[in-house]
Structure formats: C-alpha cells, structure tokens
Amino acid sequence: MADTSALVSKLSSLGLKDSPVEHVAVENNEQWAEALATASGLPSNYVLTKTLVFKPKQPKSEPIAPIVVVIKETTTASSKAIGTELKLKDLRLANEDVLKDVFQTARGSVSPFALGQVPQEHIGNVRVVIDKALLTGDAQIAFHPLNSSQTVFVDSAALKAYIASVEGLQHVVEMDFTAEPAAAPVPKPAAKPAAKKSSAAAKTEDTAGLNKLGIQTPKSVDFSEWYTEVVLKSELLSRYDVSGCYIVRPRAYFVWQQIQEFFDAGIKGMGVKNCYFPMFVSSQVLEREKDHIEGFAPEVAWVTRAGSKELNEPLAIRPTSETVMYPYFGDWIRSHRDLPLRLNQWCSVVRWEFKNPQPFLRTREFLWQEGHCAYFGKEQAMRETLEVLTLYRRVYEELLAVPVIEGEKSEKEKFAGGVTTTTVEGFIPDTGRGIQGGTSHYLGQNFSKMFNVVVEDPASEAGAERAKLYVHQASWGLSTRTIGVMVMLHSDDKGLVLPPRVAETQVIIVPCGVNAKTTSEQRAAINDACLSVEARLRIVGVRAEADLRDDKTPAFKFNHWELRGVPIRIEIGPKDLESHIVTTIRRDTGARDAVQTDALETTVPLMM
C-alpha cells in the first residue's frame, strides 16, 4: 500500500499547508468534481488535473520508457503532439501492468507523486511532460496523493519542487497544449421526472449496469486499451496477482482446445507423436548452446531456492525446449533406422517479459505446442517445416477465420540458433500493422552438432569405419497468441466476436416479450419453447444454451451475450409462439431473420 503519510510529510516541507481532503473513492474526473462539491475546507480557487501515462513503440530489447503527462482537466493531450515534442513514435496509453510494476499504483490513483515510487532501475527512463497552463496563475492544483479517496492542493512551485526532488529523474519538459482543442465539458444528466418512479429507477439501474460492464473505450480511439477491455470483460481472461500472468478462463480455453484438436489431428496424420518433457533445465545444459540461449537470456526465469535451502545449481524454467529435449535425442538415435524422430508436446513455457505484457500476445507464461523432429537429410526436414507452416495457416483461416500469409523471416528476425524461420503473418487493419501468428524453423545441423546427435553413414563401404553424420532438425510452435490475433481482428465496440467453430456457446436463446401482464402459464410456455429449441439444436451438433434467468431483462441478456461474442442469438416471444417462428440475430453483422421453427435444425447450422 502507498505510504500517503510519508508523501504528505514531504509535501509539507515543500509548502503544503493543509491536510488532504477525504472523500469517497472516485474513478474519473466527473466523480472527482462531484465528491469535492460536497467536501469542506477547499481552497477558493483550484483546478482539477489529469495524469496520463503513455508508452512509446520500442525495440523488445530496450527497457520500458514511460511518459507521465500532467495536464489540466480541460486540456486535451494529443499523443501525436507529445510524441513530436519528445521525438518518440506511436505513443499509447500504458496498461495496468505498467502502472503496477513501474509506478506501484493503479488507474484512478495516478498522479505526479507516483514518480516517488518508481524503482531506481526505471526512474532514469521515465519522461515527464507538464502542462504549462498548470504553472501559470494563482489557482491551487488538485491531485490524488497516491489514492483516489483523498485530494491535496498544491501550488505550481510545490509541484515543480516535488518533481525536481525525485532522485534519478532526468527528463522533464514543460509543454504548451493551447494549440490543442479543449475537451468539451461532460454534460450533466437531466433530472428524472418524479412520475413513474419505480420503472424509471429500474431502467436507470439497468442502463448503469450495462455501461459499467460494457466496453468503455472505442476501438478507433485507443486500440490497446480497447483490446484489454475486450479480453477481460468478455471473460476470456482474468488478471492474476503475478504481473504479466493471466488466468485463462473457460471461454478462452475452449478456443484453445478446438485449436489443439484440429492441429493434433493434422500432425498425427503426418506421423508426429505426442510426449512430455520436464519444465526444468539445468544451467549447464542451457548454456551449452550459447547462440541459442543468448536470444532468450533476458527472459529466462530461474529457480534458485527450495524452501529455505539454496539449490546447488540454479534451474531454468524452459523458455523453449530445444536444450531440454536434444540431449536425449542423442541417446535415442543410434542409427539412421531410428530416423525420423518426430515429437510434439503441449505445455506451457515461461519467458519473463517485463516490458508491457499484453494478454495472449506477450505474457510471462503461455500455453503452446512445440514440435521437435530429427531427419537424416535436409530435404525431409525442410519439407516438414513447410508442411507444418501450412497447417498453421489452416488453423487461422479454417478455425479462426483470420487470413494470413506464409513467408520467411529476415536474417535478423529468425529463430536464435536456426538456419531458416518460416512464419504465418496476419494483418490488423485498425493498427495498420502485421502480427506474427506462428513459426516453423529449419534448424539445420546446429543443434545436432551441439548435442552430438549423430548416425553412421549408411553409404559407407561394408567393413570400413563408417563416417558419423549429424542429423537435420526442425522445430515449430503455435501458442495462445492465436486467440489474441482472433480477438483483435474480429471484435468490435460491443465486445468479443467469436467464429462459430471455436465458440463454446454457438447459439444463445433468450425469452422475450414477457411483462407484468404475462400470465404464469404464458411464461412457462415461452421458457419451455426455449428449452425445446436448445435440445433440438444440440441433437444436430449445435452448442446451444437457453438463458432463462428471471432476474435479468432481455435487453441485459442481449448485451451480456454480445459482449461475450456468442455468434447467434435466438429470440422467442408470445407472438413467435403463435406464428411458429423464432427470430435469429447474427453477432458479426447484426442481421435479423425470421426462421420457421420446423426448419431450425437445417437453417441454424447453415448460418455458422
């Protein structure tokens, strides 16, 4: 927990005269203004502020370099203008992990005072931009002192003195934002009429719940924040108390299982067999392949202690399994007759990414498959490399409805220790960027030479000492990154959009048209019709579910399932029962159609 008392003491030495003002915790500036409106002991003239944290586009190898922007509430901070001022590209709002790991704070409580909590190894990379408008005039400046349930008021001299006192902070600039258009004030909602109090209150409560549960950030405004909202609010992932790690929830794990089943059938058809190797690798073995491990060295997590006892030798947690598996290939392969050896394992790996983890895309632990195969000749190994690449393309295009292209990585981008790296690459129109989908590598004889995986040359003359030949190898991997690519391409401002083949629930059935005049018999008839449709669709292989919750309105249910990406919604009401029809709504296009109930088993599967 942040040490507010130590901060207040420091601010007092810089000129703070009054104690922090206590109020309810707030999430945004509108709530902040309302909370202060009922507080006492405020200065007669003050301004509210916003403190934003951005991060620039950086090479993966560089330490994170966040930008803290301190502005007046009415100032619009253009990321493009800030980037131009600092000579940085592609600034984006930092996510929760950066706020937690670097500034040791959370969204809603960010202020310039969080600079005092930045570890010394990061503070030299932090840049601070201060709105010049805050430094002029005699108004007191309002900030949260490390939590959103308190407010302190300081003058511009105290603000500048505090920032100057942060040890190790090197980059501070004052910027004129007056060229940027001022943000429009948030209009206050009109008062509700006194009449029909109960129904109006219920509607307000329902709408407020939807607003809080729905996607708040448009895809076109802040893609990174939108993406994080979608994967969390659609219940694909939940945050975990270890930064950079996430809980894969059933909806996302079902997608991964569909990918597993599809890909597993494909590689088994090629003759690949599944296995499992331990996650630990000794430092001695890991460091035998220096060129390979050099590419992973910053990301390797080490186990150095068991209970209270230091280990004699540190153990690495696999970042990939070449050095885990190949020493045993040398034991198992004794003759060219033992080739090919074709293995795959489904497992997790750990790469201790610190700089801006992203759900599914860049996390410290992730699920994947990794194939490792040995062949007598280059041609066979290269053929497999390309066969698997095509299978990766089919995963994206046939399961996830994501178009990708097959290609080859540049020399600089290829897999550490490999000869050739092939890849499937997707394109995200909203960002204008490509994204790596999966890679398949021809490793040549690099690893077989390191781990002495050899066979005798069968072409040697009988009786003569046979020459030793190093085997040729291939490796290939596909991870839960696939799910992130799918989300980024298909989803929208309403939430997740799932392709039907990987949706845990393909059809949701919602009873509609029920009101205070509906009799209990009519309610039961509508619910029975929903259950009947659910059962009939399940018989023909459609993953259908009826939502019969009686404490939620149909509108709430519509938004609930749209947010979670269910491909098709079926609505059934009293008039539908009379007409022997149901209404279908597609999640991706919003198209509505009336379907005869006796044609459901043929019509609905064709929609997917």
Side-chain angles (χ1 to χ4, degrees):
M1 182 177 292
D3 187 358
T4 304
S5 60
L7 172 63
V8 172
S9 176
K10 182 171 183 177
L11 291 175
S12 297
S13 69
L14 298 175
L16 177 67
K17 298 178 181 178
D18 300 315
S19 300
V21 175
E22 304 282 344
H23 50 73
V24 297
V26 298
E27 296 181 358
N28 52 50
N29 277 40
E30 184 180 1
Q31 293 179 7
W32 193 12
E34 291 176 356
L36 291 178
T38 60
S40 59
L42 305 183
S44 59
N45 183 18
Y46 66 89
V47 293
L48 298 185
T49 58
K50 295 183 290 188
T51 303
L52 309 175
V53 181
F54 292 90
K55 62 174 292 295
K57 181 180 179 181
Q58 297 175 266
K60 189 175 178 181
S61 58
E62 291 185 3
I64 187 169
I67 300 101
V68 178
V69 180
V70 186
I71 57 177
K72 290 179 67 173
E73 179 195 23
T74 54
T75 297
T76 299
S78 164
S79 60
K80 185 176 181 181
I82 297 168
T84 302
E85 176 76 18
L86 300 179
K87 298 181 174 56
L88 296 172
K89 294 182 179 180
D90 297 332
L91 299 192
R92 297 185 181 187
L93 287 173
N95 63 18
E96 291 279 1
D97 290 312
V98 174
L99 300 183
K100 178 180 176 182
D101 292 340
V102 178
F103 297 95
Q104 300 174 36
T105 188
R107 198 177 303 279
S109 299
V110 183
S111 77
F113 307 131
L115 291 166
Q117 303 189 131
V118 177
Q120 281 300 303
E121 62 265 28
H122 298 300
I123 191 64
N125 298 316
V126 176
R127 293 173 171 83
V128 178
V129 177
I130 306 175
D131 185 359
K132 282 188 175 180
L134 283 176
L135 306 178
T136 59
D138 56 0
Q140 294 287 293
I141 309 169
F143 292 109
H144 293 307
L146 306 179
N147 69 72
S148 64
S149 62
Q150 292 180 319
T151 299
V152 295
F153 298 91
V154 300
D155 58 25
S156 58
L159 172 62
K160 293 173 72 173
Y162 177 83
I163 292 175
S165 73
V166 177
E167 185 179 353
L169 183 63
Q170 303 172 12
H171 311 287
V172 181
V173 298
E174 298 175 9
M175 184 171 171
D176 185 0
F177 288 90
T178 54
E180 301 296 323
V186 179
K188 294 185 177 180
K192 296 287 181 182
K196 299 181 182 179
K197 181 176 180 180
S198 60
S199 61
K203 184 175 181 181
T204 302
E205 182 180 350
D206 200 16
T207 304
L210 292 177
N211 286 339
K212 290 180 180 178
L213 295 173
I215 304 302
Q216 304 296 302
T217 306
K219 190 176 186 179
S220 59
V221 172
D222 187 336
F223 186 85
S224 179
E225 182 65 21
W226 164 85
Y227 170 76
T228 301
E229 278 196 62
V230 170
V231 298
L232 294 176
K233 292 186 176 181
S234 66
E235 297 176 346
L236 291 177
L237 295 177
S238 284
R239 295 189 186 277
Y240 192 58
D241 65 353
V242 176
S243 176
C245 296
Y246 298 87
I247 301 167
V248 181
R249 300 185 66 173
R251 184 167 288 106
Y253 200 80
F254 184 88
V255 177
W256 183 236
Q257 285 181 309
Q258 298 305 109
I259 294 171
Q260 281 183 307
E261 290 177 12
F262 182 92
F263 185 77
D264 213 46
I267 59 175
K268 285 178 179 176
M270 294 166 52
V272 178
K273 296 181 179 180
N274 282 322
C275 66
Y276 184 81
F277 278 73
M279 70 168 64
F280 300 113
V281 55
S282 69
S283 57
Q284 181 182 3
V285 171
L286 192 67
E287 291 165 3
R288 282 174 64 180
E289 212 331 271
K290 293 183 179 179
D291 291 340
H292 171 63
I293 199 57
E294 192 173 302
F296 290 102
E299 303 170 354
V300 176
W302 293 91
V303 178
T304 60
R305 181 191 296 266
S308 60
K309 188 176 181 180
E310 295 289 334
L311 298 181
N312 294 330
E313 180 184 10
L315 296 176
I317 301 177
R318 61 177 168 226
T320 181
S321 293
E322 281 77 8
T323 55
V324 177
M325 300 172 75
Y326 295 166
Y328 300 93
F329 276 33
D331 292 340
W332 299 341
I333 299 172
R334 296 296 187 181
S335 162
H336 68 278
R337 297 180 183 86
D338 296 325
L339 297 172
L341 178 61
R342 313 176 74 184
L343 300 179
N344 175 71
Q345 68 172 348
W346 297 92
C347 61
S348 70
V349 292
V350 172
R351 297 179 184 175
W352 207 253
E353 301 267 8
F354 183 84
K355 186 171 70 66
N356 192 29
Q358 289 288 326
F360 290 122
L361 305 178
R362 188 184 298 121
T363 58
R364 286 175 172 166
E365 182 189 15
F366 57 87
L367 300 173
W368 78 342
Q369 61 71 216
E370 51 178 326
H372 297 274
C373 303
Y375 287 91
F376 183 76
K378 174 182 177 180
E379 183 179 341
Q380 297 167 301
M382 196 65 203
R383 185 188 304 121
E384 179 187 278
T385 301
L386 298 177
E387 284 179 356
V388 170
L389 191 71
T390 297
L391 197 54
Y392 286 161
R393 176 180 57 77
R394 291 182 57 204
V395 167
Y396 276 101
E397 295 183 347
E398 297 177 28
L399 277 186
L400 306 179
V402 172
V404 294
I405 59 171
E406 300 178 18
E408 187 174 318
K409 290 284 192 182
S410 67
E411 189 69 20
K412 182 182 292 187
E413 294 177 308
K414 75 178 184 181
F415 182 65
V419 174
T420 300
T421 291
T422 62
T423 179
V424 289
E425 302 277 330
F427 178 72
I428 309 301
D430 297 270
T431 65
R433 295 178 179 177
I435 186 166
Q436 178 179 294
T439 51
S440 184
H441 318 283
Y442 168 59
L443 304 177
Q445 297 171 307
N446 292 344
F447 287 92
S448 62
K449 289 178 180 178
M450 177 59 59
F451 294 99
N452 198 35
V453 187
V454 298
V455 297
E456 292 181 343
D457 185 358
S460 299
E461 294 183 9
E465 184 178 350
R466 295 190 173 184
K468 301 292 185 181
L469 300 178
Y470 292 102
V471 302
H472 292 258
Q473 292 179 261
S475 70
W476 22 273
L478 187 76
S479 76
T480 41
R481 165 182 281 251
T482 50
I483 302 173
V485 175
M486 174 197 72
V487 171
M488 289 192 293
L489 185 66
H490 296 311
S491 301
D492 56 26
D493 289 346
K494 293 181 180 179
L496 182 65
V497 176
L498 284 172
R501 288 191 65 176
V502 296
E504 184 177 31
T505 301
Q506 295 173 312
V507 174
I508 190 68
I509 306 154
V510 179
C512 301
V514 177
N515 53 42
K517 296 181 180 180
T518 306
T519 65
S520 57
E521 290 79 8
Q522 289 174 318
R523 291 173 187 267
I526 295 172
N527 285 350
D528 288 345
C530 291
L531 291 172
S532 174
V533 169
E534 176 190 83
R536 289 168 57 189
L537 290 177
R538 286 185 175 183
I539 289 172
V540 296
V542 175
R543 297 186 289 273
E545 180 182 339
D547 186 349
L548 303 183
R549 291 177 292 175
D550 59 8
D551 62 333
K552 302 297 181 186
T553 65
F556 182 95
K557 295 177 184 179
F558 296 165
N559 285 276
H560 177 90
W561 294 110
E562 280 184 345
L563 177 61
R564 288 156 180 78
V566 174
I568 296 173
R569 183 174 78 243
I570 291 179
E571 301 174 6
I572 302 177
K575 293 182 179 179
D576 297 320
L577 291 183
E578 294 173 4
S579 305
H580 303 288
I581 63 170
V582 300
T583 301
T584 62
I585 299 91
R586 287 179 53 149
R587 172 65 180 87
D588 58 342
T589 64
R592 301 175 66 92
D593 289 293
V595 177
Q596 295 292 327
T597 54
D598 59 3
L600 281 170
E601 288 90 340
T602 55
T603 304
V604 173
L606 290 175
M607 295 176 67
M608 298 187 290

